[in-house]
Amino acid sequence: MKPQQTLKFVYIHFASKSRFSNLTAFVRSSISIALIYSIILTLPVGSPGQKINNSKALQKSSNGNKVNADVARQIKALDDEKESRNPAQQKIDSQLIYAGKMYLGDQIAAGIPTLEVEVGLESDGRVVVDITTVVDDELLNAIKENGGEILLVSETYRSVRARLSIERLEAIASLPQVRFIQPKQEYKLSQRIQRPILTSAPIGGSRILDSGTPLIDKLFSEAFNSVIALPNGTLSVGRAASEGDTTHRASTARGTFNVDGTGIKIGVISDGVTNLAAAQTSGDLGTVTVLPGQTGSGDQGTAMLEIVHDLAPGAQLYFATGTSSITQFAQNIRDLRAAGCDIIVDEVSYFPESAFQDGTPGVTNTNGGVVTQAVNDVVAAGALYFSSAADLGNKND
């Protein structure tokens, strides 16, 4: 059977519906900061259990023309190389296999000397990897004995992050408790797209956009340092008001229903809160409880907290980083709920997160289901959970 082309719709953070359920209730509480977006992926799929032969599938393009014979030969060579791998090599991500061969000066496959891969290989041949495994002393000792450095360990999520020589990965993969070795799992933040037109410059004690025009700079400075009146007589918090306060009509809700989030605990997950103290000094933030050891690095977390504080100035705020690792991200979701957070929001997407199913932590190669499972659990325990969409939506889909 020929592989079919189908359209798959992926919603917030490639997660299950529990990551964006109860949106109506959340908006009614006037503390909404989450949006929904979707992206379309076109994937080749076949019948259940069917193995798609890349060589045959790529023999023809969409218009029926044959693929260049040299390209077809290279695809066949890569298929043959994969089929020839020993049991330990089968537990190592192909990109790491290829990077290792190129580092040693070996051919990747017959007639293929190099391939473009990105695994973060360091000049000394070491690479940071995430190992899906049962965590025990034998594994940890093996990493050390092979000259490795242990960076993160999660027994709960059966994961170890380590820096190892790319030449020693096979020795670790040969251990029976190891399920899979992959490059360090990367993430992206739902950050606003930065426009290179204006640059940042300190003016009047505040860092604002430098337009190059003194009058505009003066107006920017006055705007950033003023208290802005909002509908129904409510005021913004600190030196700048979030546009989301008006967009979500939270200011109207505060004035109409006399609510400000008092009694609610809100947890934020982002990169970090490096300059949290500065935001508190300026009045843009009040007290924030940061989970122990989870300050992270960067200030998008600070910015998210400021937005929440504008919308719900009476709420208790909590923070934990989501960028240490996918397993720590999942643990921090649970820990924020354990700290009493009624609402949890994040802006972090890990590339291996399961796209079309919840996934089973510790059972799949990539541990891609750990975040979704954590979300499922905290939602079942009564929390509301939302992921930021940022600028990733569009008007057509």
Side-chain angles (χ1 to χ4, degrees):
M1 180 181 292
K2 292 183 178 180
Q4 302 296 312
Q5 295 291 322
T6 185
L7 292 180
K8 299 291 186 181
F9 291 85
V10 186
Y11 295 92
I12 295 177
H13 268 285
F14 305 107
S16 67
K17 63 182 180 180
S18 61
R19 290 191 75 175
F20 50 94
S21 60
N22 298 318
L23 182 58
T24 302
F26 187 55
V27 173
R28 283 201 302 266
S29 70
S30 82
I31 315 173
S32 168
I33 66 168
L35 301 174
I36 296 178
Y37 72 91
S38 66
I39 60 175
I40 303 174
L41 297 179
T42 303
L43 297 174
V45 296
S47 302
Q50 176 190 4
K51 180 180 179 180
I52 298 175
N53 187 308
N54 287 332
S55 300
K56 294 180 179 179
L58 294 176
Q59 286 296 321
K60 292 185 178 182
S61 61
S62 58
N63 63 5
N65 294 330
K66 289 186 177 180
V67 171
N68 179 284
D70 189 53
V71 173
R73 180 191 57 77
Q74 291 182 39
I75 294 172
K76 176 65 165 57
L78 290 173
D79 277 344
D80 290 343
E81 186 276 330
K82 287 187 177 182
E83 292 295 332
S84 70
R85 293 178 188 173
N86 63 40
Q89 292 168 341
Q90 291 171 15
K91 294 193 284 184
I92 303 174
D93 185 279
S94 290
Q95 287 199 89
L96 290 169
I97 295 282
Y98 300 152
K101 288 187 174 186
M102 288 188 288
Y103 180 75
L104 294 172
D106 298 335
Q107 281 197 126
I108 288 174
I112 306 177
T114 63
L115 273 178
E116 185 175 340
V117 297
E118 180 51 61
V119 298
L121 187 64
E122 299 168 6
S123 58
D124 61 357
R126 300 207 299 170
V127 62
V128 176
V129 295
D130 283 321
I131 307 169
T132 305
T133 180
V134 174
V135 180
D136 58 18
D137 290 339
E138 181 186 15
L139 169 76
L140 300 179
N141 289 334
I143 292 174
K144 295 175 183 177
E145 290 168 1
N146 281 276
E149 176 187 0
I150 298 170
L151 304 177
L152 291 171
V153 176
S154 174
E155 294 185 22
T156 301
Y157 297 106
R158 299 184 177 186
S159 178
V160 172
R161 175 169 292 176
R163 178 178 283 107
L164 278 158
S165 167
I166 201 161
E167 300 177 62
R168 304 306 302 164
L169 296 183
E170 191 171 334
I172 303 301
S174 66
L175 297 174
Q177 59 268 54
V178 172
R179 183 182 182 90
F180 195 64
I181 301 178
Q182 62 188 307
K184 175 186 174 183
Q185 293 172 312
E186 299 291 353
Y187 64 89
K188 69 174 295 183
L189 300 176
S190 297
Q191 62 191 44
R192 181 176 178 180
I193 298 173
Q194 298 297 316
R195 309 296 182 187
I197 300 174
L198 302 177
T199 58
S200 180
I203 294 181
S206 300
R207 295 195 67 83
I208 67 172
L209 295 175
D210 179 9
S211 68
T213 304
L215 176 59
I216 295 178
D217 289 340
K218 178 176 181 294
L219 294 175
F220 267 132
S221 181
E222 291 175 352
F224 277 123
N225 287 283
S226 64
V227 175
I228 303 169
L230 298 173
N232 296 331
T234 59
L235 297 176
S236 65
V237 177
R239 293 183 296 181
S242 166
E243 293 177 357
D245 199 35
T246 301
T247 302
H248 291 293
R249 305 181 74 178
S251 56
T252 301
R254 289 196 303 272
T256 301
F257 302 107
N258 194 32
V259 296
D260 65 357
T262 297
I264 301 295
K265 294 182 178 181
I266 304 175
V268 170
I269 301 176
S270 181
D271 57 353
V273 285
T274 301
N275 290 296
L276 176 61
Q280 291 170 323
T281 300
S282 70
D284 288 297
L285 275 176
T287 300
V288 176
T289 301
V290 180
L291 297 188
Q294 300 304 310
T295 300
S297 177
D299 271 307
Q300 287 195 203
T302 307
M304 287 182 68
L305 288 163
E306 289 181 5
I307 293 171
V308 175
H309 192 47
D310 276 348
L311 271 64
Q316 292 180 254
L317 302 183
Y318 290 73
F319 178 82
T321 184
T323 60
S324 299
S325 69
I326 192 172
T327 53
Q328 188 61 56
F329 180 16
Q331 187 58 50
N332 283 345
I333 291 171
R334 299 180 190 278
D335 289 347
L336 285 171
R337 178 56 184 166
C341 290
D342 308 286
I343 299 165
I344 303 172
V345 298
D346 81 69
E347 62 156 350
V348 184
S349 293
Y350 274 87
F351 300 133
E353 285 192 63
S354 303
F356 307 116
Q357 60 279 321
D358 288 355
T360 305
V363 175
T364 59
N365 284 349
T366 63
N367 244 340
V370 292
V371 172
T372 303
Q373 288 294 334
V375 171
N376 287 344
D377 290 345
V378 300
V379 169
L384 299 178
Y385 195 98
F386 301 95
S387 293
S388 168
D391 293 343
L392 299 181
N394 64 69
K395 294 181 178 180
N396 300 321
D397 301 304

